[in-house]
Amino acid sequence: LSLTGRLPAAAPAKGAWTGGQSGDAVRLRLAARAFTPRLVPQVRALASRLLAGKEPTELALGAAMIQAVGDKDDAPLVLAALDRALGAPVVNRHDPRDNILDLPAPIPELLRALKELRGRGYKPPEGLSGEAQLLFYFESLAGTPPPRPARFAHLVETFAVNASFPVREAALRSIPEPVPPFALPLIHKALEDPDHGVSRAACSLARKLGDRSLLRPLLALLATERHPWLLREASDAARELGAGSELLTTWADRLGDEDLYELALDNLQVVIEGLPGGSSGRSDLSRSERLALRAKWREFLSRHAAELQKGRRFKLTDPALSPALFGRARSWQLPDGTTWPRTAAEK
């Protein structure tokens, strides 16, 4: 087993379950047998050497060691490593396959180490210097209720648009609820950010703020971008802002896209009342099939636009619902054993 697997685990969150055969429980037992406090100085020295490196794997490993056995005096080493990680050439996450739910290694590991050291007495400096300190400052505020420090609004306005994408995203996520008015122009800018993780954070803020001036850029994002997690967040925000039939039409227009038609159907089938949770169907529709779906949904949405705008949902038995709206892509097993849309044999 690796050295880090034998180190003491960080203290579990209050109320967390630590029994059974979970990884944390096994690690606690292993550490109790294989680790002794007299090894702490050697582990910290090794962590210091790793944190002085350049490779993400080295920095992440050093951070894990500090998280396990470090103390507040190790914080400058972790911050310096985080500054180097943020200063390395970082490409904005723009590909539909990019992970926008997490920051790239070793940034999350270094942040976890800093959070652990704060619990052991580390106090961040009052004057912020460098992107590492800014990132930790914003991350520390994310998810916490107001009020915010005096300079908070100025810092967010500055670094939500003028920093590396981890800092830009963290700055947005540090904005509390209720979302303050100063955030509105920042959200407008961030919806067009070249990094999809930053744009996704802006979508979340747009949903919470509820300002309808954000609806048009949200719909534009839905009409043009391709990252599924970004599109899900943008769709939720647009729906919360009352997009209605405009949102449905935007999703119908994406049905021709090979990589997005299933997500589009997820967002279109909400107009149907009584669908069971799971469905079956084909995920390899031909171009002609996808275009046929798009044409059918456009026709359906155009015909019922006024009703849909008022929030109408259609029952499974409604004759307005044609099997051609789903083709081979979707079918549902109903409680009575039949399928919907009904097969030829069931009609």
Side-chain angles (χ1 to χ4, degrees):
L1 292 174
S2 67
L3 173 60
T4 53
R6 296 172 181 267
L7 294 176
K14 185 177 181 181
W17 182 75
T18 57
Q21 296 299 314
S22 69
D24 286 344
V26 171
R27 179 174 172 179
L28 287 170
R29 292 198 297 273
L30 181 60
R33 296 178 184 177
F35 189 80
T36 175
R38 63 183 175 82
L39 296 176
V40 168
Q42 292 95 317
V43 175
R44 288 179 63 200
L46 176 57
S48 297
R49 292 198 294 273
L50 290 168
L51 289 172
K54 297 181 179 179
E55 294 298 321
T57 52
E58 292 179 321
L59 299 178
L61 183 57
M65 293 178 179
I66 292 299
Q67 187 179 358
V69 300
D71 66 28
K72 62 181 182 180
D73 295 332
D74 295 312
L77 290 172
V78 181
L79 282 167
L82 183 55
D83 256 328
R84 290 199 307 280
L86 293 168
V90 179
V91 178
N92 288 314
R93 297 165 295 177
H94 198 74
D95 190 282
R97 296 165 295 184
D98 286 340
N99 179 6
I100 63 172
L101 303 183
D102 300 295
L103 295 173
I107 296 171
E109 294 85 353
L110 293 164
L111 286 171
R112 284 195 292 270
L114 285 170
K115 291 175 182 178
E116 192 67 30
L117 295 182
R118 184 177 56 192
R120 298 172 192 170
Y122 166 62
K123 294 183 179 180
E126 292 187 7
L128 298 173
S129 175
E131 288 210 343
Q133 290 185 17
L134 283 164
L135 177 59
F136 186 54
Y137 170 81
F138 290 131
E139 284 283 342
S140 299
L141 290 172
T144 64
R148 289 291 186 262
R151 297 177 58 219
F152 173 75
H154 172 71
L155 290 171
V156 171
E157 288 172 333
T158 302
F159 295 104
V161 293
N162 295 306
S164 61
F165 76 73
V167 177
R168 300 199 306 272
E169 181 180 340
L172 292 174
R173 292 195 297 105
S174 71
I175 296 174
E177 292 186 70
V179 178
F182 83 83
L184 180 59
L186 290 177
I187 298 171
H188 274 281
K189 290 180 181 178
L191 286 173
E192 299 186 12
D193 195 279
D195 180 83
H196 283 338
V198 177
S199 296
R200 181 172 178 267
C203 292
S204 177
L205 284 172
R207 175 176 53 81
K208 296 171 184 176
L209 182 58
D211 191 300
R212 285 184 60 85
S213 71
L214 295 163
L215 187 52
R216 192 56 50 197
L218 284 168
L219 291 172
L221 188 154
L222 281 165
T224 55
E225 297 297 348
R226 298 175 55 79
H227 198 294
W229 286 108
L230 173 60
L231 295 177
R232 287 186 178 96
E233 198 75 44
S235 188
D236 288 346
R239 186 176 295 110
E240 187 71 20
L241 295 182
S245 59
E246 284 183 288
L247 176 60
L248 295 169
T249 301
T250 302
W251 274 119
D253 290 341
R254 304 307 301 264
L255 283 168
D257 192 307
E258 181 179 10
D259 297 322
L260 294 176
Y261 76 86
E262 290 186 282
L263 181 57
L265 286 175
D266 289 343
N267 285 273
L268 288 166
Q269 69 191 42
V270 298
V271 304
I272 303 173
E273 183 180 338
L275 285 178
S279 65
S280 59
R282 300 299 297 255
S283 58
D284 59 348
L285 297 193
S286 66
R287 181 184 296 108
S288 61
E289 288 178 294
R290 299 194 305 271
L291 294 177
L293 288 181
R294 186 176 70 182
K296 286 297 181 181
W297 273 100
R298 283 175 170 174
E299 178 186 352
F300 172 81
L301 295 174
S302 175
R303 182 177 300 164
H304 301 285
E307 304 157 80
L308 291 166
Q309 189 62 35
K310 294 177 182 179
R312 180 187 172 186
R313 298 179 70 204
F314 292 75
K315 295 183 181 298
L316 295 176
T317 55
D318 196 307
L321 295 176
S322 165
L325 291 170
F326 294 97
R328 295 193 305 145
R330 298 271 165 99
S331 66
W332 287 263
Q333 183 85 29
L334 301 182
D336 63 3
T338 62
T339 59
W340 189 91
R342 299 179 70 187
T343 64
E346 292 172 326
K347 292 181 179 179

